Amino acid sequence: MKTYISAWPASVECPPFPRRLAILGATGSIGDSALKVVAKHPERFTVTALAGGRNGQKLARLCNRFKPRYAAVLDDAARREYFAYVEDGCPTELFVGPDAYVRLAALDDMDLVLSSIVGAAGFEPTLAAAEAGKMIGLANKESLVLGGHLIRAACKASGAVILPVDSEHNALFQGLAGHGSDDELKRLILTASGGPFRGRDRAFLETVTREQALAHPNWSMGAKISIDSATLMNKGLELIEACHLYGLPPDMVDVVVHPQSIVHSLVEYVDGSQLAHLGNPDMQVPIAHCLCYPERVTVDVPRLNLATVGTLTFEEPDLDAFPCLRLAREAFDAGPSHPIALNAVNEIAVDAFLKERIGFTDIPAMIETGLDRHVPVDVSTPEAVLALDDEVRRETRARL
Ligand code: NAD
Ligand code: MG
């Protein structure tokens, strides 16, 4: 019996090409990579909807180029900026406000959603796409951290399928393909680059700056995930993401640090085989895999030459210097409301660090305090999830 949801059920047909695509988070780093894939394979996609956040200018430029039927921005300032840059005759209809994302995620004339908003703001649109039975390329890991139980149930009820864009989970998806029996699986092994501060001790981490923390050695990404990578919270969120995607307990998901980011994760089977996915680190690869699934298409990334790479190294994560990974594991073990609290405190703390209001090591300290104070609550509805997220954010801001 398969328990993982990231496999296309045999009974469901993939939407035909050209696929009518909505990109929620089109103006971000994942949006950039996705639109490179779209531009390389225009015959495979009709860009139906593009949503940005507050970057009206960039969204307008994308609409001028890709001419989607619909677009969305978060607020009036972004709307004004959008109209200052959108060309006369652009056919796009613009929606404004948080509700617009939910609406675009469930459009009738669209089959494929790339969920690439950053943070908890991605939860409601992702759930809406799941309820509407869409094919979903999921980059927004926070939506599973908040409400993986609800998204999973919605997929089951509607026939929606989540294809993991996150490179590690995409690697696992490929390593799991064709193996249907749960008792064949021993464990999943997520690789982590270790971020810019790998090998550093706590005393050094006390001193690091915003710029140092943003400088990821291997991947070019948005600011929030770059800081999450530096604290190892990204791997903590990914551990929770993997448990939801593949229906596994956290003790079946291990993490190994692999500084070169060439091996994107591994699946271990009971016979001792470990299947790894290798490639140069570029998000266009997992994005193209999801958007064109089950077909493979060419992607403009440098080919991997292992002889040139020479050496691949692996080491244990340092959970003393980087407690976020441990905190995420503990939060997932503690029950469904703890990860929501973990994520909310993390988002507020990362934002405060980016604004230089707190230091780097204050991020895990604030999360630990937040989890200690958290009293478990029922989160069996989307409203309860959002209410808890909101409450923890308010409490955390008050402690800054
Ligand atoms: P980013 O900051 O570059 O882009 C975020 C996008 O979300 C932008 O389009 C922004 O306008 C939009 N946005 C921000 N807040 C919003 C809100 N409140 N409502 C609606 N839209 C909002 O981030 P990114 O690096 O592209 O990451 C996006 C998601 O993908 C994150 O969940 C991240 O963890 C995940 N992810 C990213 C990468 C990567 O390489 N960048 C890899 C794996 C997973
Ligand atoms: Mg990842």
Side-chain angles (χ1 to χ4, degrees):
M1 256 296 284
K2 279 180 187 167
T3 56
Y4 42 91
I5 57 175
S6 297
W8 197 267
S11 58
V12 178
E13 301 237 322
C14 295
F17 294 105
R19 289 181 179 164
R20 298 168 302 174
L21 171 67
I23 303 181
L24 308 181
T27 53
S29 163
I30 290 286
D32 286 345
S33 297
L35 287 167
K36 281 187 197 158
V37 173
V38 170
K40 175 131 182 112
H41 299 282
E43 72 290 354
R44 288 183 176 265
F45 303 101
T46 302
V47 179
T48 300
L50 294 177
R54 296 192 165 83
N55 192 344
Q57 180 182 149
K58 183 165 179 182
L59 188 68
R61 294 216 161 102
L62 294 177
C63 290
N64 292 338
R65 182 170 171 207
F66 291 98
K67 304 203 174 351
R69 189 149 179 203
Y70 311 99
V73 289
L74 208 47
D75 54 28
D76 269 336
R79 184 185 62 82
R80 282 194 295 278
E81 202 179 276
Y82 173 88
F83 281 114
Y85 288 91
V86 76
E87 287 166 1
D88 288 346
C90 177
T92 307
E93 185 181 351
L94 184 73
F95 297 98
V96 183
D99 294 349
Y101 300 86
V102 170
R103 185 164 173 183
L104 294 194
L107 290 168
D108 284 340
D109 53 351
M110 179 271 296
D111 347 85
L112 172 57
V113 182
L114 180 63
S115 170
S116 56
I117 291 173
V118 62
F123 168 64
E124 281 186 282
T126 305
L127 181 62
E131 285 169 348
K134 304 298 184 190
M135 177 177 177
I136 304 167
L138 186 72
N140 176 260
K141 61 196 84 183
E142 295 91 343
S143 55
L144 287 183
V145 173
L146 259 75
H149 53 300
L150 297 170
I151 291 172
R152 199 185 163 96
C155 287
K156 207 171 163 198
S158 70
V161 165
I162 291 185
L163 300 172
V165 166
D166 212 349
S167 56
E168 296 78 1
H169 306 73
N170 187 269
L172 296 172
F173 174 41
Q174 297 192 43
L176 286 163
H179 296 270
S181 158
D182 278 353
D183 27 292
E184 292 174 6
L185 183 64
K186 182 73 178 162
R187 62 179 177 141
L188 307 179
I189 306 166
L190 292 169
T191 51
S193 70
F197 307 132
R198 184 180 58 86
R200 300 295 195 162
D201 59 16
R202 272 177 184 237
F204 177 86
L205 295 178
E206 303 272 345
T207 68
V208 303
T209 65
R210 176 185 188 278
E211 276 57 44
Q212 287 172 304
L214 282 171
H216 195 279
N218 303 336
W219 300 91
S220 159
M221 310 182 284
K224 192 258 178 185
I225 184 176
S226 297
I227 303 302
D228 284 347
S229 299
T231 60
L232 252 63
M233 179 52 89
N234 185 48
K235 216 46 58 181
L237 300 176
E238 290 186 355
L239 179 123
I240 297 173
E241 180 184 14
C243 292
H244 281 300
L245 283 170
Y246 304 111
L248 296 173
D251 61 4
M252 282 181 74
V253 185
D254 287 331
V255 173
V256 67
V257 172
H258 165 49
Q260 297 81 21
S261 297
I262 296 293
V263 177
H264 297 134
S265 279
L266 308 97
V267 179
E268 183 176 317
Y269 289 96
V270 286
D271 63 0
S273 302
Q274 291 189 354
L275 300 193
H277 176 282
L278 281 73
N280 278 321
D282 189 311
M283 288 307 294
Q284 287 182 76
V285 177
I287 290 170
H289 182 249
C290 292
L291 298 188
C292 296
Y293 186 81
E295 296 183 21
R296 289 190 188 261
V297 296
T298 54
V299 175
D300 285 330
V301 296
R303 301 284 106 183
L304 174 62
N305 182 334
L306 283 174
T308 309
V309 175
T311 309
L312 298 177
T313 60
F314 301 89
E315 62 199 48
E316 291 293 337
D318 179 350
L319 298 183
D320 291 326
F322 301 94
C324 286
L325 177 55
R326 169 180 61 77
L327 292 170
R329 197 182 273 283
E330 287 170 8
F332 189 74
D333 267 335
S337 70
H338 277 78
I340 301 169
L342 169 103
N343 182 72
V345 181
N346 183 54
E347 288 194 23
I348 298 298
V350 169
D351 186 59
F353 175 72
L354 285 169
K355 291 178 175 143
E356 299 182 312
R357 294 184 60 193
I358 62 169
F360 186 75
T361 50
D362 293 329
I363 301 174
M366 283 178 65
I367 296 166
E368 187 134 34
T369 308
L371 287 174
D372 284 347
R373 294 161 66 114
H374 176 63
V375 180
V377 291
D378 177 75
V379 285
S380 53
T381 64
E383 295 73 26
V385 168
L386 293 168
L388 176 60
D389 174 63
D390 194 51
E391 186 190 320
V392 177
R393 278 166 198 271
R394 273 189 285 111
E395 277 173 8
T396 310
R397 278 197 201 96
R399 282 191 282 123
L400 275 173

